[in-house]
Amino acid sequence: MTRSSEGVSPALHAYIVDHSQPVDPVLAELAEETARLFPDFKGMQIGPEQGAFTTLLTQLAGARNAVEIGTFTGYSSICFARGLPGDGTLLALDISEEWTSVARKYWERAGVADKITLRIGPALESLRALPEEPQFDLAFLDADKEGYVGYWEELVPRMRAGGLLLADNTLSHGRVIDPEETSAHVQGIRDFNDHLVNDGRVEQVLLPIGDGLTLARKL
Protein backbone atom coordinates (compact mmCIF):
# COMPACT_ATOMS: atom_id res chain seq x y z
CA MET A 1 0.00 0.00 0.00
CA THR A 2 0.98 3.64 -0.14
CA ARG A 3 -0.01 6.80 1.67
CA SER A 4 -0.45 8.87 -1.51
CA SER A 5 -1.80 8.32 -5.02
CA GLU A 6 0.65 7.28 -7.71
CA GLY A 7 1.76 10.13 -9.98
CA VAL A 8 0.48 12.80 -7.58
CA SER A 9 2.99 15.24 -6.12
CA PRO A 10 3.15 15.60 -2.31
CA ALA A 11 1.71 19.10 -2.59
CA LEU A 12 -1.22 17.97 -4.73
CA HIS A 13 -1.79 14.98 -2.45
CA ALA A 14 -1.99 17.33 0.53
CA TYR A 15 -4.54 19.41 -1.39
CA ILE A 16 -6.61 16.28 -2.12
CA VAL A 17 -6.58 15.28 1.55
CA ASP A 18 -7.47 18.82 2.64
CA HIS A 19 -10.49 18.82 0.33
CA SER A 20 -11.79 15.37 1.25
CA GLN A 21 -13.57 14.25 4.40
CA PRO A 22 -11.38 15.45 7.29
CA VAL A 23 -9.24 12.85 9.05
CA ASP A 24 -10.45 12.56 12.63
CA PRO A 25 -8.05 12.34 15.61
CA VAL A 26 -8.44 8.56 16.00
CA LEU A 27 -7.28 7.79 12.46
CA ALA A 28 -4.56 10.44 12.62
CA GLU A 29 -3.18 8.97 15.84
CA LEU A 30 -3.41 5.45 14.44
CA ALA A 31 -1.35 6.48 11.40
CA GLU A 32 1.23 8.11 13.68
CA GLU A 33 1.46 5.11 16.02
CA THR A 34 1.76 2.70 13.10
CA ALA A 35 4.64 4.72 11.66
CA ARG A 36 6.35 4.76 15.06
CA LEU A 37 5.89 1.08 15.90
CA PHE A 38 6.34 -0.39 12.43
CA PRO A 39 8.41 2.09 10.39
CA ASP A 40 9.40 -0.56 7.83
CA PHE A 41 5.75 -1.44 7.19
CA LYS A 42 3.96 1.91 7.49
CA GLY A 43 3.40 1.94 3.72
CA MET A 44 0.99 -0.96 4.15
CA GLN A 45 -1.59 1.40 5.59
CA ILE A 46 -4.10 3.04 3.28
CA GLY A 47 -4.01 6.80 2.86
CA PRO A 48 -6.59 9.25 4.21
CA GLU A 49 -8.26 9.92 0.86
CA GLN A 50 -8.65 6.19 0.26
CA GLY A 51 -10.10 5.78 3.73
CA ALA A 52 -12.66 8.51 3.09
CA PHE A 53 -13.53 6.90 -0.26
CA THR A 54 -14.10 3.45 1.25
CA THR A 55 -16.33 4.79 4.03
CA LEU A 56 -18.46 6.69 1.54
CA LEU A 57 -18.58 3.73 -0.87
CA THR A 58 -19.71 1.41 1.94
CA GLN A 59 -22.52 3.80 2.78
CA LEU A 60 -23.56 4.27 -0.84
CA ALA A 61 -23.63 0.51 -1.38
CA GLY A 62 -25.85 0.00 1.66
CA ALA A 63 -23.51 -2.80 2.75
CA ARG A 64 -24.38 -4.67 5.94
CA ASN A 65 -21.91 -7.56 5.95
CA ALA A 66 -18.31 -7.08 4.87
CA VAL A 67 -15.03 -8.99 4.89
CA GLU A 68 -11.48 -7.69 4.86
CA ILE A 69 -8.45 -9.79 3.95
CA GLY A 70 -5.38 -8.11 5.41
CA THR A 71 -6.10 -5.88 8.40
CA PHE A 72 -2.64 -4.69 9.52
CA THR A 73 -3.13 -2.08 12.28
CA GLY A 74 -6.78 -1.39 11.54
CA TYR A 75 -7.00 1.86 9.54
CA SER A 76 -9.01 0.38 6.66
CA SER A 77 -11.24 -1.72 8.93
CA ILE A 78 -12.23 1.40 10.86
CA CYS A 79 -13.11 3.15 7.61
CA PHE A 80 -15.25 0.25 6.39
CA ALA A 81 -16.90 -0.32 9.77
CA ARG A 82 -17.87 3.34 9.99
CA GLY A 83 -19.73 2.98 6.71
CA LEU A 84 -21.75 0.02 7.95
CA PRO A 85 -25.09 0.44 9.76
CA GLY A 86 -25.31 -0.05 13.51
CA ASP A 87 -26.01 -3.77 13.15
CA GLY A 88 -23.50 -4.27 10.33
CA THR A 89 -20.61 -6.72 10.58
CA LEU A 90 -17.04 -6.79 9.33
CA LEU A 91 -15.03 -10.01 9.32
CA ALA A 92 -11.33 -9.10 9.51
CA LEU A 93 -8.77 -11.74 8.49
CA ASP A 94 -5.08 -11.39 9.28
CA ILE A 95 -2.10 -13.52 10.35
CA SER A 96 -0.45 -11.14 12.84
CA GLU A 97 -1.38 -10.85 16.50
CA GLU A 98 1.16 -8.03 16.86
CA TRP A 99 -0.28 -5.81 14.15
CA THR A 100 -3.90 -6.50 15.02
CA SER A 101 -3.34 -5.81 18.72
CA VAL A 102 -2.94 -2.18 17.63
CA ALA A 103 -6.07 -2.51 15.51
CA ARG A 104 -8.11 -3.79 18.46
CA LYS A 105 -7.15 -0.77 20.55
CA TYR A 106 -8.17 1.68 17.86
CA TRP A 107 -11.39 -0.17 17.03
CA GLU A 108 -12.41 0.49 20.63
CA ARG A 109 -11.39 4.12 20.41
CA ALA A 110 -13.31 4.56 17.14
CA GLY A 111 -16.43 2.95 18.62
CA VAL A 112 -16.61 0.19 16.01
CA ALA A 113 -15.24 -2.81 17.92
CA ASP A 114 -18.71 -4.33 18.29
CA LYS A 115 -19.05 -4.51 14.49
CA ILE A 116 -15.75 -6.31 13.87
CA THR A 117 -14.85 -9.99 14.27
CA LEU A 118 -11.14 -10.75 13.94
CA ARG A 119 -9.84 -14.15 12.89
CA ILE A 120 -6.12 -14.80 13.10
CA GLY A 121 -4.64 -17.36 10.72
CA PRO A 122 -4.09 -17.97 7.01
CA ALA A 123 -6.87 -16.07 5.26
CA LEU A 124 -7.39 -18.73 2.60
CA GLU A 125 -8.17 -21.29 5.31
CA SER A 126 -10.49 -18.85 7.08
CA LEU A 127 -12.38 -18.18 3.85
CA ARG A 128 -12.70 -21.83 3.01
CA ALA A 129 -14.13 -22.49 6.46
CA LEU A 130 -17.05 -20.13 5.72
CA PRO A 131 -20.32 -21.47 4.28
CA GLU A 132 -20.20 -21.72 0.49
CA GLU A 133 -23.11 -19.38 -0.08
CA PRO A 134 -23.55 -15.65 -0.79
CA GLN A 135 -23.22 -13.75 2.49
CA PHE A 136 -21.15 -10.60 1.92
CA ASP A 137 -22.15 -7.24 0.44
CA LEU A 138 -18.62 -5.87 0.42
CA ALA A 139 -15.09 -7.31 0.37
CA PHE A 140 -11.66 -5.69 0.61
CA LEU A 141 -8.56 -7.56 -0.52
CA ASP A 142 -5.22 -6.26 0.73
CA ALA A 143 -2.98 -9.16 1.74
CA ASP A 144 -0.07 -11.01 0.11
CA LYS A 145 -0.16 -10.23 -3.59
CA GLU A 146 0.83 -13.72 -4.73
CA GLY A 147 -2.34 -14.99 -3.09
CA TYR A 148 -4.80 -12.56 -4.68
CA VAL A 149 -6.20 -14.96 -7.28
CA GLY A 150 -6.76 -17.65 -4.67
CA TYR A 151 -8.52 -15.24 -2.31
CA TRP A 152 -10.62 -13.92 -5.18
CA GLU A 153 -11.84 -17.38 -6.10
CA GLU A 154 -12.98 -17.97 -2.53
CA LEU A 155 -14.58 -14.53 -2.23
CA VAL A 156 -16.66 -14.26 -5.40
CA PRO A 157 -18.98 -17.22 -4.67
CA ARG A 158 -19.60 -15.79 -1.20
CA MET A 159 -20.62 -12.36 -2.52
CA ARG A 160 -24.26 -11.45 -2.98
CA ALA A 161 -25.41 -10.33 -6.42
CA GLY A 162 -24.56 -6.65 -6.73
CA GLY A 163 -21.94 -6.96 -4.00
CA LEU A 164 -18.76 -4.90 -4.30
CA LEU A 165 -15.19 -6.20 -4.15
CA LEU A 166 -12.18 -3.95 -3.78
CA ALA A 167 -8.56 -4.99 -4.30
CA ASP A 168 -5.68 -2.73 -3.32
CA ASN A 169 -2.22 -2.23 -4.85
CA THR A 170 -3.29 -3.30 -8.33
CA LEU A 171 -0.78 -0.95 -10.00
CA SER A 172 2.14 -2.10 -7.84
CA HIS A 173 3.75 1.34 -8.00
CA GLY A 174 3.65 1.20 -11.80
CA ARG A 175 5.73 -1.98 -11.92
CA VAL A 176 2.93 -3.94 -13.60
CA ILE A 177 3.94 -2.44 -16.96
CA ASP A 178 7.69 -2.82 -16.48
CA PRO A 179 8.80 -5.91 -18.47
CA GLU A 180 12.01 -6.08 -16.45
CA GLU A 181 10.13 -6.41 -13.18
CA THR A 182 9.79 -10.14 -12.53
CA SER A 183 9.31 -10.37 -8.77
CA ALA A 184 6.67 -12.78 -7.46
CA HIS A 185 4.93 -9.85 -5.77
CA VAL A 186 4.46 -7.92 -9.01
CA GLN A 187 3.67 -11.01 -11.08
CA GLY A 188 0.98 -11.89 -8.57
CA ILE A 189 -0.71 -8.54 -9.24
CA ARG A 190 -0.36 -8.96 -13.02
CA ASP A 191 -1.93 -12.41 -12.80
CA PHE A 192 -4.74 -11.03 -10.67
CA ASN A 193 -5.46 -8.11 -13.00
CA ASP A 194 -5.53 -10.43 -16.02
CA HIS A 195 -7.74 -12.87 -14.14
CA LEU A 196 -10.33 -10.17 -13.46
CA VAL A 197 -10.42 -8.97 -17.05
CA ASN A 198 -11.49 -12.49 -18.06
CA ASP A 199 -13.89 -13.09 -15.15
CA GLY A 200 -17.44 -12.96 -16.51
CA ARG A 201 -18.92 -13.03 -13.00
CA VAL A 202 -18.05 -9.38 -12.39
CA GLU A 203 -17.66 -5.99 -14.00
CA GLN A 204 -14.69 -3.97 -12.83
CA VAL A 205 -12.64 -0.79 -13.08
CA LEU A 206 -9.05 -0.16 -11.98
CA LEU A 207 -8.89 3.25 -10.34
CA PRO A 208 -5.65 5.27 -9.90
CA ILE A 209 -6.33 5.77 -6.19
CA GLY A 210 -3.40 5.15 -3.88
CA ASP A 211 -1.32 2.37 -5.46
CA GLY A 212 -4.22 1.28 -7.67
CA LEU A 213 -7.63 0.27 -6.34
CA THR A 214 -9.74 -2.15 -8.35
CA LEU A 215 -13.50 -1.93 -7.79
CA ALA A 216 -15.64 -4.83 -9.01
CA ARG A 217 -19.34 -5.59 -8.84
CA LYS A 218 -20.67 -9.13 -8.82
CA LEU A 219 -23.29 -9.65 -11.54
Side-chain angles (χ1 to χ4, degrees):
M1 299 168 83
T2 183
R3 296 290 293 169
S4 63
S5 294
E6 293 298 306
V8 174
S9 69
L12 186 55
H13 178 250
Y15 182 88
I16 292 170
V17 172
D18 288 344
H19 291 80
S20 299
Q21 185 69 20
V23 178
D24 67 278
V26 173
L27 289 177
E29 290 169 21
L30 172 55
E32 292 171 1
E33 182 165 345
T34 298
R36 178 173 55 82
L37 293 176
F38 312 110
D40 293 337
F41 299 98
K42 62 183 180 181
M44 291 171 56
Q45 192 172 67
I46 66 172
E49 77 279 20
Q50 190 171 343
F53 175 76
T54 53
T55 298
L56 182 57
L57 183 66
T58 303
Q59 294 168 331
L60 290 172
R64 303 185 68 84
N65 298 298
V67 58
E68 173 185 73
I69 303 175
T71 295
F72 191 39
T73 56
Y75 196 109
S76 57
S77 49
I78 290 174
C79 294
F80 282 107
R82 283 177 168 172
L84 296 171
D87 60 349
T89 64
L90 172 65
L91 175 61
L93 307 180
D94 204 281
I95 59 171
S96 173
E97 289 279 6
E98 182 180 17
W99 290 343
T100 55
S101 66
V102 177
R104 288 180 186 274
K105 178 173 69 173
Y106 280 90
W107 292 341
E108 291 287 348
R109 289 189 56 188
V112 297
D114 60 330
K115 296 181 182 180
I116 303 174
T117 298
L118 174 65
R119 293 186 185 174
I120 298 293
L124 201 58
E125 294 179 10
S126 296
L127 287 172
R128 288 172 175 167
L130 297 173
E132 295 182 8
E133 60 187 33
Q135 56 193 285
F136 296 116
D137 308 301
L138 183 70
F140 182 51
L141 177 52
D142 189 20
D144 58 292
K145 311 314 170 190
E146 299 93 324
Y148 266 32
V149 172
Y151 297 136
W152 179 263
E153 286 304 307
E154 295 299 328
L155 279 172
V156 173
R158 292 172 172 83
M159 301 299 299
R160 296 191 177 101
L164 301 180
L165 302 96
L166 296 98
D168 203 14
N169 304 114
T170 47
L171 290 178
S172 194
H173 301 285
R175 294 174 295 188
V176 288
I177 59 172
D178 182 354
E180 296 184 359
E181 179 58 67
T182 59
S183 69
H185 178 100
V186 176
Q187 190 56 49
I189 291 295
R190 289 193 190 109
D191 292 343
F192 176 73
N193 291 341
D194 291 343
H195 188 74
L196 261 63
V197 168
N198 295 296
D199 192 338
R201 300 170 296 179
V202 300
E203 52 189 4
Q204 78 286 331
V205 58
L206 201 170
L207 301 168
I209 298 175
D211 182 28
L213 181 67
T214 294
L215 171 62
R217 173 179 175 270
K218 185 176 179 181
L219 299 176

